[in-house]
Every structure is written in structure tokens, then in C-alpha cells.
Amino acid sequence: MASNSVLCLTRPLRSSFVNRWLKVLSSRRIATCLQYQQSQHRPLQRRLKSTTATSSSSSPSYSASPSSPSATANEATTHFGYETVAESLKESRVGAVFTSVASSYDTMNDLMSLGVHRLWKDHFVRSLNPGVKQFSQQNQPASKGWNILDVAGGTGDIAFRLLDHATLVNDDHATRVTVADINPDMLAAGRSRALSSSYHTAEQPPSTPTSSTPDPLPRLDFLEANAENLSTIPTASIDLYTVAFGIRNFTSKSAALREAYRVLKPGGVFACLEFSKVLSSSTSSEKGLLPFSMNDLPSKALDAIYKRWSFGAIPLIGQLVAGDRDSYQYLVESIDRFPSQAEFAAMIAEAGFMLPGGEGDEDGSHVNGGWEDLTRGIAAIHKGVKPVRGSKDE
């Protein structure tokens, strides 16, 4: 019955439908379930399926249970879903999650979001407008294009969109994207997809003579790297840094933001697409991002429906499609634990970025603006610009 109700959301919402949902959501059973899942949820005994002998030797091992020690008395801790774990353990646990889901990641994204994640990602890339608009003028030197770093983008979903936009919209055949991900299995999925595209090899712009110019660099590259320590990326070398649905899994978001600031050129842009918090009212940015209007749903009803879908349906879909309920249980918990729009914008400002359209105190607290809400705040786009003058690198 729950699944039929969710499907009804794709039809125009009527007041009778909203009232019926409000009655259901006010029932004691669902309220008790939500309270248990959010505030009294005990740590899961996650038993990730074992990998092959080859992958197990190159990927982080994973074994967790509520009774296993998470941290010593003097060791810094962080959250892994609803669990509190040692910072030294989170990286390997997150790695094991994405090793488990890598082969079915894109399919699961479609099922979990009912395909809406594709609309969010398309809008995200359009808002960045990557690439340099080319002009057909003789004796005009060819543009070097943008140097883009897509972090936690192992499967290439954002990278391909960035390159397609630069090539097809701006006629830019020089913009390059490096996909950086800490997980080798996610990178393997991206490399596999790249083999069927033209971007994994060097592309020669049609108007550039091959006899008098050096061979161009490949436009798409993959790099195994930790977002919190991008030691192989030179300082002030990146025009655009993107991260989509990945930063919530980082052990230290502040460290990753500082690294993003370091590698960006002055004037470079940090852009993040991530799940966020449901708003009390809709905004104009939602137009065209869903096949139905959400204005008729009160915020509490929408938030309750969203959490029921997240905690009830998504782990079940993960079990049925990917054979892995526990990894997807972690993913929805990590979404629930991610900071609010204003809190994350304050973290971006604290790292030294200027927030487009953002206003806040000098210390970065109480930030108002600097992000764009999508679908009533279920997701949000955050941006920060590295100052041209007075940057921390100077």
C-alpha cells in the first residue's frame, strides 16, 4: 500500500489525497517508527558481502558490529551513519560500502530517486556552464579550456555531463576533467563507461591543424585519491572543483574543503550537489525538476513521506536489486546526518570561500544564501568562489 501511495505522487496532487496522507502520517504507528529510526536507532550489524580474492587484497577490509570497539578514549571520533566510530575507521568502512555497491550504483540511484537525480545533475551542470565559448575568428589562439576536478565521481556521471556541456554547448574541445575517487571499484566502473565514449582518448579539435600543434591531452582521466589530501594536485591549478553526492561520506568535511580551496585557482569555483533538509515552503528553483507540484504538501507531511521512503523503501530496494540492504541503510543514515543548508554554507565560508549571493557574519556563522534548494530542499547546490585577492594562499 505504501508503494502505491508513493506512485500516486507522480499524478497531480488533490486536496483529498493530501488529507488522506496527513491522516496516515498522524497515526501512532508511523510516528513511533520515525522516532525510533531517527533518535533511538541502534547501530546496525552490517555484514557486507565478501568480495573476490583479488578485490579483497586491494580494497579495505570491513567488519563491524555494535560490540566491536569503535575508538579508544583519546582517539577522535566521527559518525558512520548513526554510529559513532573512530576517525581512523571511517575511511575503510565507507570504502567497503562503495566497493559493495559499485556495480549497481547507477541503477540504484535511478530506483532510489525515481530518476529525479538525473534532473538534479543536469541542472547542476547547466548552472556551472563549463567550458570556454569558442569564437570562429581567424588568427585567434585556441583556448586551453577549463581544468576540472570531479571529486568522489568514480562512475563518471558528473564528468560526462561536464564534458558534454563544454563540447556541445560551448564548442570547447579542450576542457579536461579529472575524476578523483578514493575507491578503486568505483573508478573501475567509471573507466568501463569511458571506454564507450570519445573522452578517454585525446580529442583533436576539428579546426586545429594537426601538423603544427602538439598532440592534445586526453580530456578525461581517473585518479585514485583522498579528497582530504590531494597531494598529487598542484596548488592553484583547478578552474572548477565539483563533488556530487559524495562529501557527506568524507571523514573530515572541513579538511576536504580546505583542500578544495588550495587546489583551486584564484577565481575558481567550488560546487557541491548534495542531499539536504526539507524546507517549509517551495522556491522557484524547483520548477521543472519534478513531474508534479509539491506546493500542496505541508513541510511536515513531505518530510515524513521522504523519511518513510528513505528508511523504508531504499534499504529494501538495495536488498532486492543489489543484494545489499546494510550499505543502503548506511547511505540514508548519512543523508540524515548531513548538516543543514546554512550549516554547510558556513563551513564553506570558513574554508575561505566567498559565497555567491550569501550574507553572513564575519566568522561565517548565521549564513543566509550561497546555495540553491532543489525539490523543497531534498537536495541543494552549494557554491563558493576562491577570492582573486587576499586568498589564504598568498
Side-chain angles (χ1 to χ4, degrees), residues 78-393:
T78 186
H79 60 80
F80 177 77
Y82 288 155
E83 287 186 70
T84 299
V85 299
E87 287 187 352
S88 59
L89 295 178
K90 181 171 180 177
E91 181 179 315
S92 63
R93 294 192 176 190
V94 171
V97 166
F98 284 93
T99 293
S100 177
V101 305
S103 61
S104 58
Y105 189 71
D106 291 328
T107 300
M108 281 298 302
N109 282 340
D110 282 328
L111 295 174
M112 290 190 302
S113 68
L114 303 179
V116 176
H117 78 103
R118 295 176 179 268
L119 303 177
W120 291 336
K121 291 173 180 176
D122 289 342
H123 179 75
F124 177 59
V125 170
R126 284 196 302 269
S127 73
L128 298 171
N129 191 26
V132 179
K133 192 72 174 178
Q134 302 295 317
F135 299 95
S136 57
Q137 296 180 0
Q138 294 182 351
N139 301 323
Q140 184 75 15
S143 168
K144 295 181 179 179
W146 287 11
N147 189 16
I148 302 175
L149 179 64
D150 182 35
V151 175
T155 62
D157 220 19
I158 296 296
F160 292 123
R161 284 174 165 84
L162 292 167
L163 289 172
D164 285 344
H165 185 100
T167 304
L168 302 176
V169 176
N170 290 324
D171 193 26
D172 180 346
H173 295 261
T175 285
R176 304 171 305 280
V177 178
T178 298
V179 178
D181 201 297
I182 196 172
N183 190 283
D185 295 277
M186 294 292 284
L187 288 171
R191 288 191 181 99
S192 177
R193 290 182 60 185
L195 292 176
S196 60
S197 75
S198 62
Y199 299 129
H200 74 289
T201 57
E203 180 182 351
Q204 186 72 45
S207 59
T208 303
T210 58
S211 58
S212 61
T213 58
D215 291 336
L217 296 172
R219 300 187 62 195
L220 180 62
D221 195 14
F222 293 86
L223 173 68
E224 185 175 343
N226 188 332
E228 298 164 33
N229 182 18
L230 298 169
S231 57
T232 58
I233 307 294
T235 298
S237 62
I238 301 298
D239 296 291
L240 173 63
Y241 176 117
T242 59
V243 54
F245 302 119
I247 201 168
R248 71 179 188 277
N249 299 302
F250 295 173
T251 301
S252 174
K253 300 171 185 62
S254 297
L257 289 170
R258 290 193 296 270
E259 273 293 85
Y261 186 94
R262 179 187 68 82
V263 301
L264 279 167
K265 300 175 182 178
V269 175
F270 166 84
C272 174
L273 171 62
E274 189 53 88
F275 290 106
S276 201
K277 307 299 181 186
V278 173
L279 302 174
S280 58
S281 61
S282 73
T283 63
S284 60
S285 62
E286 298 161 20
K287 294 180 179 179
L289 295 181
L290 282 178
F292 54 87
S293 172
M294 304 188 72
N295 295 334
D296 299 329
L297 275 178
S299 58
K300 290 184 178 180
L302 175 61
D303 189 50
I305 293 172
Y306 173 59
K307 281 187 167 58
R308 284 292 290 168
W309 173 257
S310 297
F311 287 95
I314 290 177
L316 178 61
I317 294 173
Q319 179 179 352
L320 296 176
V321 176
D324 187 353
R325 182 186 186 94
D326 293 337
S327 291
Y328 287 93
Q329 181 71 37
Y330 158 74
L331 292 177
V332 297
E333 289 177 9
S334 68
I335 293 171
D336 196 44
R337 290 294 302 267
F338 191 71
S340 68
Q341 289 91 319
E343 291 169 338
F344 187 55
M347 294 175 66
I348 297 172
E350 185 179 358
F353 290 101
M354 297 188 303
L355 304 182
E359 299 177 355
D361 298 338
E362 293 183 357
D363 61 358
S365 61
H366 307 293
V367 173
N368 180 24
W371 71 86
E372 177 186 5
D373 292 301
L374 308 177
T375 316
R376 289 277 291 272
I378 291 177
I381 296 172
H382 287 263
K383 294 179 183 176
V385 179
K386 183 173 179 177
V388 176
R389 294 183 178 178
S391 66
K392 293 182 178 181
D393 294 335

Side-chain angles (χ1 to χ4, degrees), residues 18-37:
V18 175
N19 292 334
R20 186 161 63 251
W21 256 111
L22 289 175
K23 290 180 180 179
V24 174
L25 293 171
S26 63
S27 67
R28 181 178 301 177
R29 179 181 177 185
I30 291 181
T32 302
C33 182
L34 286 174
Q35 181 181 10
Y36 170 77
Q37 289 170 331

